[in-house]
Amino acid sequence: MPSSLAIFYGAVVTPVSVDNYAALPRALLCVNSSGLIEWVVDDVEPHRLQDELASKGLVDVEVVDLKDGEFLMPGFIDTHTHAPQYPNMGTGGQFQLLDWLEKVTFPMEAKFEDTSFARDVYSSVVRRVLDAGTTTCCYYGTLHLEATKILAEVINQAGQRAFVGKCNMDRNSPAYYVEPSPQVSKENTEHLINFIRSLSKPPFLSAPSHHPLVQPILTPRFAISCTDELLSSLEAVASSDPSLRIQTHISENPAEIEFTLSLFPKASSYAGIYDHFKLLRNNTILAHGVHLTNEELDLIKQRGAGISHCPTSNFNLSSGVAPVGVMLDKDIKVGLGTDVSGGFSLSILKTIQDASIAAKVRSINHREDSNIGTSPSKFANKPLPIPTLLYLATAGGASVCDLEHHVGKLEVGKNFDALLVSIREEGTELNPGIWGNGLGRPKAASLKERKALLDTQLERFLFGGDDRNIRRVYVQGKLVGGTVFSM
């Protein structure tokens, strides 16, 4: 953890709500030795900087002075990805979900029985994900206990905040890649939970003991891969530990939904299956939700569960376009997920861009279907504005992960999980896709003009940026990634 205060002076962007964010062109922000944001002062003119520091009892303190074209923002939160599928990124897009699992995914995941292979892959995965700006990540492992333990170790040593789960799957999988029984699945899951919780002790990196960086998460792959007996066993594990997060898939693909309901003929719906086994609760993360019914959405809202919106994957595997606007209108928690390797990019920036396109597709289809130009709703069938896209990638993801009191915003009392973004042109490592020329703030600009410039810089980053624009990645106040870290 940081041994002293860290002071940052410059532009800060942070979400306030689902449809609003704060743009602070000249903020002074202090991170304490525990990695928490101790105070933030807005609109500090350069000639007042030392006086402001002195008022806080700070003299001759080192200040990280952000340059023109640089700003701080919360770290990205990836609410759904598959660590063992990263070697498959960019392949298999010709398939839909069930064929993709059979022909592309299961053969790769089976290779993680080899722990040396697992360590090599996972070390690369975590480094790449961190450098892409993801400070919190929900990882699916494979069904292999030892390989998933390695994944948790690698993440903890890298200093990323994460949830790590071993897939539970005892049916409808290839003979070479299936758990032998519900009992073995449950026992290995409990072993992994205890192992991950032990990582909060030295010598591994961790946050304060009450809130470790790496935490376990219960991971029934999806209802198709779990027998009733296995789901009952996982219900017992979940019921004994209300703080244990749960992640699974739901309503991604029409063929998947049909097959799922055939396996549970007494179930009222896909969501109803998870609810029957008491796996639908306030810290459950449901990936996709492309084809949920209104009744299912109401049930998810009632239980307090969240949705991981994975538009890149949904486009790539021809699954459909999730009704995120409807979810937001219903006040359902929504975050973003890369869903590698259904999604072909590990960057939440790509997910933001595709989430914007997905909302526009629904808006266009609605307009054409109904022959009207607008909808009376706030979000449904409308493009998602920049504040909402930023929220989904940060604070929305924090809410889905039941971390909203800890991360997702740069405000007092929260962990300093943050990105130092640069869209400056100098430096060969920066992204030529961003047009940064002339974006420096004029010295005589008014506060309103500086805020407008910061708005533009944020939008350019979200739609044209990549990992080359992420100079520093901080988790709990510690520098753990970015182009500076990699040098």
Side-chain angles (χ1 to χ4, degrees):
M1 305 315 305
S3 58
S4 60
L5 295 177
I7 309 294
F8 296 85
Y9 176 58
V12 173
V13 173
T14 184
V16 174
S17 65
V18 70
D19 55 4
N20 188 27
Y21 69 85
L24 314 176
R26 288 178 175 166
L28 191 60
L29 183 149
C30 175
V31 181
N32 67 24
S33 59
S34 296
L36 301 177
I37 299 173
E38 189 160 307
W39 47 260
V40 180
V41 181
D42 184 20
D43 197 22
V44 178
E45 296 291 343
H47 68 275
R48 293 290 305 163
L49 177 59
Q50 294 304 320
D51 290 341
E52 192 65 50
L53 290 171
S55 73
K56 302 289 186 182
L58 302 173
V59 180
D60 294 328
V61 65
E62 183 178 352
V63 176
V64 179
D65 193 359
L66 276 63
K67 301 175 182 178
D68 292 343
E70 294 182 342
F71 58 89
L72 290 174
M73 63 173 289
F76 294 133
I77 298 177
D78 188 344
T79 57
H80 180 68
T81 198
H82 295 262
Q85 294 179 21
Y86 278 70
N88 284 337
M89 271 197 308
T91 67
Q94 68 271 35
F95 299 113
Q96 291 195 26
L97 177 63
L98 298 181
D99 288 337
W100 173 80
L101 288 170
E102 176 188 352
K103 299 178 187 300
V104 178
T105 301
F106 290 152
M108 174 57 71
E109 291 193 13
K111 295 180 180 180
F112 285 77
E113 185 176 10
D114 180 343
T115 55
S116 296
F117 177 78
R119 188 172 295 278
D120 287 345
V121 171
Y122 288 153
S123 296
S124 176
V125 168
V126 175
R127 173 47 45 207
R128 293 183 185 199
V129 172
L130 264 176
D131 287 341
T134 298
T135 51
T136 298
C137 195
C138 297
Y139 288 106
Y140 283 59
T142 59
L143 58 75
H144 307 106
L145 172 61
E146 293 305 317
T148 310
K149 288 166 63 177
I150 289 170
L151 173 60
E153 285 181 332
V154 169
I155 294 166
N156 209 41
Q157 290 169 337
Q160 187 179 39
R161 194 181 304 279
F163 297 94
V164 180
K166 182 199 74 63
C167 282
N168 302 110
M169 39 194 296
D170 69 337
R171 69 168 172 182
N172 292 318
S173 303
Y176 62 82
Y177 189 58
V178 67
E179 295 183 288
S181 70
Q183 183 62 28
V184 169
S185 183
K186 177 175 180 288
E187 289 174 356
N188 286 343
T189 296
E190 292 174 328
H191 182 110
L192 180 68
I193 290 170
N194 292 330
F195 174 80
I196 292 175
R197 286 176 172 164
S198 75
L199 296 180
S200 62
K201 302 174 183 178
F204 297 102
L205 296 172
S206 70
S209 59
H210 68 281
H211 189 66
L213 287 181
V214 184
Q215 298 186 55
I217 185 166
L218 201 62
T219 309
R221 187 177 198 117
F222 59 168
I224 287 174
S225 68
C226 299
T227 60
D228 286 59
E229 184 179 355
L230 176 54
L231 290 174
S232 293
S233 296
L234 298 180
E235 176 186 352
V237 174
S239 297
S240 68
D241 187 353
S243 70
L244 181 65
R245 275 72 166 184
I246 302 167
Q247 62 181 356
T248 190
H249 298 79
I250 192 168
S251 297
E252 180 177 357
N253 170 280
E256 166 221 5
I257 297 169
E258 182 180 3
F259 187 23
T260 299
L261 295 179
S262 74
L263 296 172
F264 298 90
K266 295 182 180 180
S268 59
S269 66
Y270 202 150
I273 296 168
Y274 295 133
D275 192 51
H276 174 76
F277 291 100
K278 296 181 174 59
L279 297 175
L280 203 61
R281 62 190 194 185
N282 71 298
N283 51 9
T284 297
I285 303 169
L286 299 167
H288 303 294
V290 178
H291 304 286
L292 291 167
T293 66
N294 283 327
E295 291 74 18
E296 288 178 296
L297 289 171
D298 290 342
L299 176 61
I300 290 167
K301 166 61 180 175
Q302 182 181 354
R303 297 292 185 256
I307 301 290
S308 176
H309 179 37
C310 306
T312 308
S313 173
N314 297 157
F315 284 138
N316 190 43
L317 298 181
S318 303
S319 297
V321 184
V324 169
V326 174
M327 298 172 189
L328 293 176
D329 282 341
K330 289 179 176 287
D331 199 27
I332 293 172
K333 298 181 296 187
V334 182
L336 299 181
T338 58
D339 192 30
V340 171
S341 64
F344 48 78
S345 172
L346 58 80
S347 175
I348 285 291
L349 284 170
K350 174 60 176 169
T351 311
I352 290 170
Q353 295 153 19
D354 284 343
S356 176
I357 293 172
K360 290 174 181 177
V361 168
R362 291 196 68 93
S363 173
I364 293 167
N365 289 342
H366 172 74
R367 186 168 65 239
E368 292 177 347
D369 291 344
S370 60
N371 198 31
I372 59 175
T374 59
S375 165
S377 65
K378 185 172 184 179
F379 293 106
N381 302 312
K382 294 180 179 179
L384 294 176
I386 298 299
T388 303
L389 294 168
L390 175 65
Y391 178 88
L392 293 177
T394 55
S399 181
V400 169
C401 294
D402 195 28
L403 288 176
E404 64 271 24
H405 299 301
H406 301 282
V407 297
K409 299 178 180 180
L410 298 184
E411 62 183 27
V412 174
K414 284 190 167 52
N415 299 311
F416 188 68
D417 286 18
L419 310 180
L420 196 164
V421 173
S422 174
I423 61 170
R424 296 169 62 83
E425 286 191 344
E426 74 245 15
T428 57
E429 78 282 0
L430 295 187
N431 178 6
I434 284 185
W435 186 257
N437 192 34
L439 287 181
R441 63 178 183 260
K443 292 183 179 180
S446 67
L447 178 61
K448 181 179 179 180
E449 290 171 327
R450 293 197 302 268
K451 286 187 174 183
L453 178 60
L454 186 51
D455 289 337
T456 299
Q457 291 171 338
L458 172 65
E459 185 173 7
R460 288 177 187 268
F461 172 62
L462 294 183
F463 285 95
D466 61 27
D467 58 301
R468 290 170 293 183
N469 301 103
I470 299 173
R471 300 283 288 167
R472 298 170 182 259
V473 179
Y474 294 92
V475 174
Q476 196 80 24
K478 182 179 178 62
L479 179 64
V480 294
T483 58
V484 171
F485 181 84
S486 302
M487 288 178 180

